[in-house]
């Protein structure tokens, strides 16, 4: 694990140095791809919670915060400063003076308040509501009881305050494009979303649904001298093979790689020069339902973790496009313990644990899985002989990808395999195992342990960041010991990029999400002019 | 003829209703719904209250007959409802996608007609000859090749290797962009047209009236032009109609592969996200297109062959 973390850090460092070695050039077109299958949902970033839409949202919009990929934390975006109250719950923001919407109008506090209020419209169920709901009074708007969010107060045109329901860093939940700030007055006009305007580095030009979204540089963007490129074209390309052809044919500047392509690109002397790898904040895991008797025993859960040779599966099936998981928090998490060791592959120990738990002859369980190649049926099939060796029989229950969420939230499973977000906010990620978190939120295994709850509660109330981090590390270690899931791997996202594209960021929240204002193309790009 | 066309259009109404009912039933029995499908990638946690609110907002908690009745009521006023996913009227979404789909279908069929029909005719003139052998091998291959694989092959050959055409995208009138998707989509109907044309010509060549025409001293050209081609055309037109109608539905794979902004890719996305109004809208549009094309073909057949009367 240490070696992996070190290699990742080295990759980041080498990549950063390479990007800094050249002077950014103005002009040209960036030809980006949105690789997650579907077309963009609409031109309204509040409507969709899909990463696919966030990809264009980062070009068009400004949010209260943005993700600083290099330092792995949220930083202010449209606000220039923030003051935090003594109780850590009220944040007072001073908006940038030079933040202008694409029609030239200056951003005001009213725009922020209107945007958040719109997101909480209960009749619309915008997905960003789950973030804004952490502001005092936001859920009252959602329920239709009031029209204004009481926790948002306008102080003057460029200053407002925001009071949260609990102590938390709002940066972690107000940087997504679902929380984009729209121009309040203009966005209410008919036809606004046919040609939306935002605060982002690029202005909307056109959207050909299913084919492309095109933008041009916003010359009055608040970061002086940025963006560098004149134009940006984002093409939704869900088919990996088609994306591969387009990339090799130099028609696009980036491509997210799957396992098969990862191997092929790494083996190619030219293509291997343009690969960016990041440990994303997703943990692939097998969740175990404690209402299924064997799984209520910690020793059985631990036995499963010992019985599966995860490293072999990662190497052979996932083609090394993943990092072996130790516990829930991923490598890129601030609270990840670099000294943590993963469960060792030890069938004898697994057998011993099963005997201790009262299952000397093993047992049989039903494992719900989607067809996903990295965390679905193929992985389950690989574990079947391994589990059989310790006496555990597996019956695969295949479900369609879009049905898995319903199955898990409904508790209609003995075990499932999934890839779940486990960051970037360590506290929020670990709260998913707090006993007060219902299955329908994210405690899918309905994990319940008072000692764990105490660690999380203490961490939530801790004002000192270092002490809080320490508590979170302990909670993560506790979770490893309790093993509510089989800790399989952390996703390694891989982006292939053309040699003429510079400024890419190792974004661990999602590698396909890039701050386009940082990107630039040199003169060797076919779209340099 | 006009009463016939009107009658056929009226007959389309129960067919459309039956299709709409079938989609409704299918989507009510398959697992998953719009709200839970949004959690598919494991990134988003949607709590039970939100799922409940969404189900209420989209009327998914209503009994199936009531939902269907509401939908049919909407259809009567040409209202296909609003998409769950985009929150926009389905008619708007279809409007955006219909023209690119028609462009692709027309280009694919043009490719199929221009090559397939002459190939079948020429093959039939010398049965067992090299052209006949070639056309039949081509026809069998064309019908059995998976469209996805063929599309990729075309990309590798004509975009990546030869660099003649772009590998993906919608060129807004630049004809180079439509070539590869049109070929990928057109090969299957081409193969079928070649086979059908060949079979039709072979059959007619042995008909009594052709033998009579030859006995009367008609030139080979005249026999082909006036007796064989005209009679074979009715059979070819019928095949053409069936293929033209179904090409729009078959475009699903090609549109996704080539990032072509048509109905097919909208349909795939809508199915994935359980966006029932959009799925219904897309399928009904494709079915309607199929019906209209086939009515048009029947009319054309009557024009080509005056013996065909619709009473």
């Amino acid at each position: 694990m240490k070696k992996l973390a070190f290699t990742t850090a080295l990759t980041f460092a080498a990549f950063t140095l390479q990007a800094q070695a050249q002077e950014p050039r103005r002009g040209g077109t960036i030809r980006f791809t949105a690789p997650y299958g579907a077309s963009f949902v609409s031109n309204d970033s509040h409507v969709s919670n899909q990463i696919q839409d966030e990809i264009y949202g980062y070009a068009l919009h400004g949010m209260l915060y943005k993700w600083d990929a290099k330092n792995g934390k949220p930083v202010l975006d449209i606000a220039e400063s923030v003051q935090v109250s003594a109780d850590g719950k009220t944040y007072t923001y001073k908006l940038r003076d030079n933040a202008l919407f694409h029609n030239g109008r200056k951003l005001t506090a009213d725009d922020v308040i209107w945007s958040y209020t719109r997101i909480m419209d209960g009749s619309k169920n915008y997905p960003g509501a789950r973030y804004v709901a952490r502001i005092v009074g936001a859920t009252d708007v959602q329920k239709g009881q009031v029209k204004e969010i009481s926790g948002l107060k306008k102080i003057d045109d460029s200053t407002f305050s925001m009071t949260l329901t609990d102590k938390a860093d709002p940066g972690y939940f107000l940087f997504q494009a679902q929380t984009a700030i729209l121009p309040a007055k203009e966005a209410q006009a008919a036809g606004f979303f046919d040609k939306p305007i935002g605060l982002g580095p690029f202005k909307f030009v056109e959207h050909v649904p299913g084919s492309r979204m095109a933008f041009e540089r916003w010359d009055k963007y608040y970061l002086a001298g940025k963006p560098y490129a004149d134009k940006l074209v984002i093409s939704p390309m869900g088919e990996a093979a088609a994306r591969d052809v387009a990339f090799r044919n130099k028609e696009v500047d980036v491509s997210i790689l799957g396992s098969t392509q990862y191997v092929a690109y790494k083996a190619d002397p030219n293509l291997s020069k343009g690969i960016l790898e990041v440990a994303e904040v997703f943990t692939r895991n097998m969740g175990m339902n404690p209402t299924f008797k064997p799984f209520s025993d910690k020793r059985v859960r631990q036995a499963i973790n010992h019985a599966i040779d995860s490293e072999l599966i990662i190497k052979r099936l996932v083609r090394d496009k993943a990092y072996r998981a130790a516990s829930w928090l991923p490598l890129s998490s601030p609270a990840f313990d670099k000294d943590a060791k993963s469960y060792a592959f030890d069938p004898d120990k697994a057998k011993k644990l099963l005997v201790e738990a009262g299952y000397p002859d093993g047992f049989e369980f039903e494992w719900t899985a989607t067809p996903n190649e990295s965390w679905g049926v193929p992985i389950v099939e690989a574990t079947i002989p391994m589990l059989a060796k310790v006496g555990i029989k597996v019956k695969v229950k295949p479900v369609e990808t879009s049905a898995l969420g319903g199955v898990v939230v409904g508790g209609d499973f003995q075990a499932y395999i999934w890839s779940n977000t486990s960051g970037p906010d360590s506290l929020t990620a670990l709260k998913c195992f707090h006993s007060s978190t219902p299955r329908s939120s994210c405690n899918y295994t309905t994990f319940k342990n008072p000692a764990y709850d105490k660690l999380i509660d203490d961490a939530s109330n801790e004002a000192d960041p270092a002490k809080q981090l320490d508590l979170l590390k302990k909670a993560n270690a506790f979770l490893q010991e309790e093993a509510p899931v089989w800790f399989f791997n952390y996703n390694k996202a891989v982006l292939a990029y053309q040699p003429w594209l510079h400024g890419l960021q190792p974004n661990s929240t999602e590698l396909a999400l890039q701050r386009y204002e940082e990107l630039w193309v040199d003169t060797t790009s076919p779209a340099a002019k | 003829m006009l009463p016939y066309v009107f009658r056929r259009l009226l007959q389309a109404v129960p067919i459309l209703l039956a299709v709409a009912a079938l989609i409704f039933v299918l989507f009510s029995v398959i697992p998953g719904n719009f709200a839970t499908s949004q959690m598919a990638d494991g990134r988003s946690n949607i709590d039970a209250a939100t799922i409940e609110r969404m189900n209420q907002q989209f009327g998914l908690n209503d009994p199936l007959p009531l939902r269907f009745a509401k939908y049919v009521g909407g259809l009567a006023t040409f209202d296909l409802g609003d998409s769950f996913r985009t929150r926009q009227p389905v008619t708007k979404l279809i409007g955006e996608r219909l023209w690119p789909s028609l462009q692709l279908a027309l280009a694919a069929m043009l490719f199929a007609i221009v090559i397939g029909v002459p190939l079948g005719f020429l093959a039939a003139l010398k049965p067992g000859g090299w052209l006949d052998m070639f056309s039949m091998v081509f026809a069998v291959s064309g019908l059995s090749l998976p469209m996805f694989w063929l599309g990729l092959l075309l990309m590798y050959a004509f975009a990546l290797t030869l660099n003649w055409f772009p590998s993906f995208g919608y060129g807004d009138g630049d004809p180079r962009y439509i070539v590869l998707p049109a070929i990928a989509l057109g090969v299957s109907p081409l193969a079928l047209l070649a086979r059908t044309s060949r079979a039709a010509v072979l059959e007619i060549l042995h008909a009594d009236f052709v033998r009579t025409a030859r006995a009367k001293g008609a030139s080979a050209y005249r026999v082909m032009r006036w007796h064989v081609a005209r009679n074979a055309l009715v059979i070819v037109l019928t095949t053409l109609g069936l293929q033209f109608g179904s090409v729009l539905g078959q475009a699903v794979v090609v549109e996704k592969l080539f990032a072509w902004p048509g109905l097919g890719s909208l349909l795939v996305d809508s199915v994935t996200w359980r966006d029932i109004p959009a799925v219904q809208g897309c399928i009904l549009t494709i079915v309607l297109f199929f019906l209209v094309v086939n009515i048009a073909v029947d009319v054309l057949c009557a024009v080509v062959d005056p013996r065909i009367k619709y009473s």
Side-chain angles (χ1 to χ4, degrees):
Chain A
M1 190 57 66
K2 264 182 183 172
K3 194 180 160 193
L4 281 175
F6 178 73
T7 313
T8 311
L10 209 65
T11 310
F12 290 174
F15 187 77
T16 310
L17 284 174
Q18 185 199 348
Q20 286 169 348
Q22 290 166 283
E23 193 64 27
R25 167 187 173 272
R26 282 178 78 88
T29 301
I30 296 167
R31 301 160 311 162
F32 219 77
T33 48
Y36 298 114
S39 315
F40 298 127
V41 166
S42 75
N43 302 338
D44 182 351
S45 280
H46 287 177
V47 162
S48 168
N49 68 341
Q50 301 303 309
I51 288 295
Q52 189 76 336
D53 291 271
E54 206 149 346
I55 289 173
Y56 87 76
Y58 274 35
L60 186 60
H61 293 298
M63 280 66 78
L64 191 55
Y65 288 85
K66 66 180 173 185
W67 186 254
D68 177 352
K70 279 168 191 157
N71 296 307
K73 62 178 187 180
V75 293
L76 289 173
D77 185 12
I78 58 164
E80 62 185 17
S81 65
V82 60
Q83 284 185 328
V84 189
S85 65
D87 67 356
K89 288 186 177 178
T90 299
Y91 288 67
T92 304
Y93 296 92
K94 172 91 174 73
L95 298 171
R96 289 176 184 271
D97 266 345
N98 58 348
L100 304 175
F101 286 105
H102 299 152
N103 61 354
R105 181 172 74 70
K106 195 177 156 186
L107 164 76
T108 68
D110 291 325
D111 297 311
V112 182
I113 292 168
W114 181 82
S115 298
Y116 288 166
T117 310
R118 178 184 192 248
I119 292 166
M120 292 311 299
D121 184 341
S123 68
K124 298 281 194 266
N125 282 307
Y126 292 123
R130 71 189 175 115
Y131 302 121
V132 180
R134 296 178 79 160
I135 303 173
V136 169
T139 50
D140 297 335
V141 172
Q142 193 175 40
K143 289 172 194 157
Q145 293 167 347
V146 292
K147 292 209 163 145
E148 290 172 359
I149 299 175
S150 57
L152 288 173
K153 302 263 185 243
K154 177 181 173 181
I155 294 164
D156 59 44
D157 270 356
S158 58
T159 317
F160 73 98
S161 69
M162 181 168 80
T163 305
L164 303 176
T165 53
D166 53 351
K167 209 164 68 173
D169 182 349
Y172 281 108
F173 49 90
L174 293 173
F175 73 88
Q176 293 85 350
Q178 294 108 291
T179 63
I181 306 306
L182 304 176
K185 197 176 160 197
E186 295 86 332
Q188 295 177 72
F192 171 81
F193 290 104
D194 291 332
K195 198 161 184 185
I197 56 175
L199 291 159
F202 286 90
K203 288 193 292 182
F204 179 89
V205 173
E206 65 165 352
H207 179 196
V208 182
S211 194
R212 66 170 182 267
M213 204 178 260
F215 303 88
E216 63 186 19
R217 180 172 54 215
W218 172 227
D219 286 321
K220 294 175 183 168
Y221 184 56
Y222 50 77
L223 293 179
K226 294 180 181 176
Y228 301 112
D230 289 336
K231 288 178 186 166
L232 166 71
V233 178
I234 309 175
S235 307
M237 294 184 76
E239 293 300 339
R243 215 166 49 240
D244 176 43
V245 174
F247 184 80
R248 289 171 188 262
N249 205 28
K250 301 175 175 55
E251 291 175 85
V252 293
D253 294 340
V254 294
S255 177
I256 289 279
L257 304 184
S259 314
T260 314
Q261 288 175 339
Y262 178 51
V263 174
Y265 276 53
K266 275 213 307 188
D268 186 301
N270 286 321
L271 295 174
S272 60
K273 287 178 195 160
I275 288 180
L276 175 59
E277 298 177 5
V278 168
E280 277 185 342
V281 290
F282 298 99
T283 302
R284 277 88 172 256
N285 66 98
M286 175 188 107
M288 293 173 252
N289 193 339
T291 59
F292 177 66
K293 197 168 168 282
F295 291 153
S296 63
D297 193 313
K298 177 171 89 174
R299 291 165 297 188
V300 172
R301 303 192 299 259
Q302 288 174 331
I304 285 184
N305 272 281
H306 280 300
I308 302 172
D309 189 349
S310 305
E311 279 177 21
L312 183 70
I313 300 175
I314 290 169
K315 193 174 178 187
R316 294 287 162 82
L317 276 182
V318 190
R319 314 286 191 98
D320 274 332
K321 203 182 143 311
Y323 302 98
R324 173 81 173 99
S327 181
W328 188 250
L329 294 180
L331 277 175
S332 42
S333 169
F336 176 79
D337 185 353
K338 291 178 177 57
D339 296 325
K341 285 193 171 59
S342 311
Y343 274 89
F345 172 55
D346 190 343
D348 291 336
K349 194 169 181 185
K351 271 185 199 166
K352 204 176 144 204
L353 284 163
L354 286 173
V355 171
E356 281 173 23
Y359 297 96
D361 302 321
F363 61 93
E364 183 177 324
F365 75 94
E366 194 180 67
W367 194 340
T368 304
T370 70
N372 190 291
E373 61 171 4
S374 303
W375 46 268
V377 170
I379 303 298
V380 172
E381 283 170 345
T383 67
I384 289 174
M386 298 173 185
L387 290 169
K389 276 189 181 166
V390 299
I392 301 174
K393 285 181 194 156
V394 174
K395 223 164 77 183
V396 185
K397 187 182 178 187
V399 292
E400 210 197 328
T401 307
S402 53
L404 182 65
V407 169
V408 175
V409 168
D412 182 22
F413 65 90
Q414 289 176 358
Y416 63 82
I417 184 164
W418 209 355
S419 171
N420 298 109
T421 182
S422 47
D425 180 5
S426 305
L427 178 59
T428 302
L430 290 176
K431 269 185 180 172
C432 281
F433 294 92
H434 194 282
S435 62
S436 67
T437 306
R439 169 178 278 145
S440 61
S441 282
C442 57
N443 190 358
Y444 303 129
T445 58
T446 51
F447 183 72
K448 205 178 274 184
N449 189 302
Y452 180 80
D453 287 354
K454 187 172 182 315
L455 279 171
I456 295 297
D457 291 339
D458 290 349
S460 301
N461 296 322
E462 180 55 63
D464 182 345
K467 284 181 184 166
Q468 188 191 50
L469 203 63
D470 193 45
L471 286 164
L472 292 174
K473 279 183 183 175
K474 280 181 184 156
N476 196 39
F478 191 97
L479 216 50
Q480 184 187 23
E481 167 71 13
E482 288 292 316
V485 303
W486 161 48
F487 301 104
F488 177 28
N489 70 50
Y490 307 127
N491 179 32
K492 181 198 279 185
V494 183
L495 184 90
Y497 60 94
Q498 303 285 11
W500 52 76
L501 182 69
H502 307 271
L504 286 163
Q505 308 112 53
N507 185 353
S508 63
T509 68
E510 167 56 62
L511 190 52
L513 294 178
Q514 293 287 322
R515 299 296 311 185
Y516 300 101
E517 65 271 22
E518 305 292 341
L519 302 184
W520 57 278
V521 287
D522 65 37
T523 50
T524 60
S525 165
K529 287 181 184 172
Chain B
M1 186 68 81
L2 269 178
Y4 169 78
V5 172
F6 185 66
R7 201 167 59 243
R8 285 284 302 274
L9 284 172
L10 274 183
Q11 282 169 0
V13 175
I15 295 172
L16 289 170
L17 281 176
V19 171
L22 187 69
I23 308 163
F24 238 99
V25 172
L26 285 177
F27 268 82
S28 66
V29 294
I30 57 173
N33 65 22
F34 173 69
T36 55
S37 74
Q38 292 189 78
M39 303 166 69
D41 58 7
R43 296 168 199 273
S44 305
N45 310 318
I46 299 178
D47 58 40
T50 307
I51 291 173
E52 182 53 30
R53 270 201 310 275
M54 281 187 169
N55 288 342
Q56 213 157 3
Q57 178 190 350
F58 300 127
L60 294 174
N61 288 339
D62 295 341
L64 195 66
L66 177 64
R67 281 166 52 202
F68 186 63
K70 278 184 189 169
Y71 185 69
V72 172
L75 277 183
T77 55
F78 300 102
D79 177 9
L80 295 172
D82 287 349
S83 154
F84 295 166
R85 207 164 65 95
T86 69
R87 323 286 172 104
Q88 292 172 320
V90 173
T91 43
K92 181 176 184 277
L93 299 183
I94 291 174
E96 288 169 345
R97 305 290 190 110
L98 194 55
W99 175 231
S101 269
L102 287 176
Q103 278 179 305
L104 186 58
L106 284 166
M109 286 313 292
L110 190 68
F111 168 71
I113 294 165
V114 167
I115 298 177
V117 177
L119 192 65
F121 270 65
L122 292 171
L125 292 180
K126 278 195 180 172
W130 68 267
L131 188 64
D132 188 30
M133 297 290 283
F134 167 77
S135 74
M136 286 310 98
V137 169
F138 186 77
V140 171
S141 315
L143 282 170
S144 47
L145 283 179
M147 216 176 276
F148 183 82
W149 183 82
L150 177 66
L152 279 177
L153 207 68
L154 291 168
M155 281 181 178
Y156 274 106
F158 296 105
L160 190 56
T161 309
L162 297 169
N163 209 13
W164 289 355
F165 303 105
S167 71
F168 78 100
Y170 181 64
D172 287 334
D174 181 344
R176 291 183 317 125
Y177 282 85
I178 205 170
V179 174
L180 296 185
I183 294 174
L185 189 59
V187 161
S188 170
L190 184 158
L192 196 70
L193 277 174
R195 275 187 73 116
T196 313
S197 311
R198 177 183 175 273
V201 171
L202 271 178
E203 192 187 325
I204 293 161
L205 277 174
H206 294 101
D208 290 343
F209 62 88
V210 172
R211 205 175 303 124
T212 309
R214 279 181 178 148
K216 283 164 71 181
S219 67
Y221 171 78
R222 190 176 170 80
V223 169
M224 281 305 292
R225 169 78 177 79
W226 289 104
H227 298 283
V228 178
R230 217 164 158 191
N231 280 287
L233 206 56
V234 175
I235 301 167
V236 172
L237 269 177
T238 311
T239 312
L240 196 72
L242 290 170
Q243 286 299 298
F244 207 156
S246 58
V247 130
L248 208 61
Q250 289 167 357
V252 168
V253 175
V254 171
E255 288 180 4
K256 284 299 277 185
L257 191 63
F258 288 93
W260 190 264
L263 273 181
S265 52
L266 176 65
L267 179 58
V268 174
D269 293 344
S270 307
V271 170
T272 306
W273 301 109
R274 301 286 190 271
D275 187 353
I276 303 171
V279 172
Q280 281 166 328
C282 290
I283 294 179
L284 289 180
T285 306
I286 290 168
V287 171
L288 186 66
F289 180 76
F290 188 88
L291 292 169
V292 168
V293 166
N294 278 286
I295 294 169
V297 165
D298 285 349
V299 171
L300 261 178
C301 283
V303 172
V304 171
D305 188 346
R307 289 171 301 178
I308 299 171
K309 303 268 184 228
Y310 299 117
S311 56

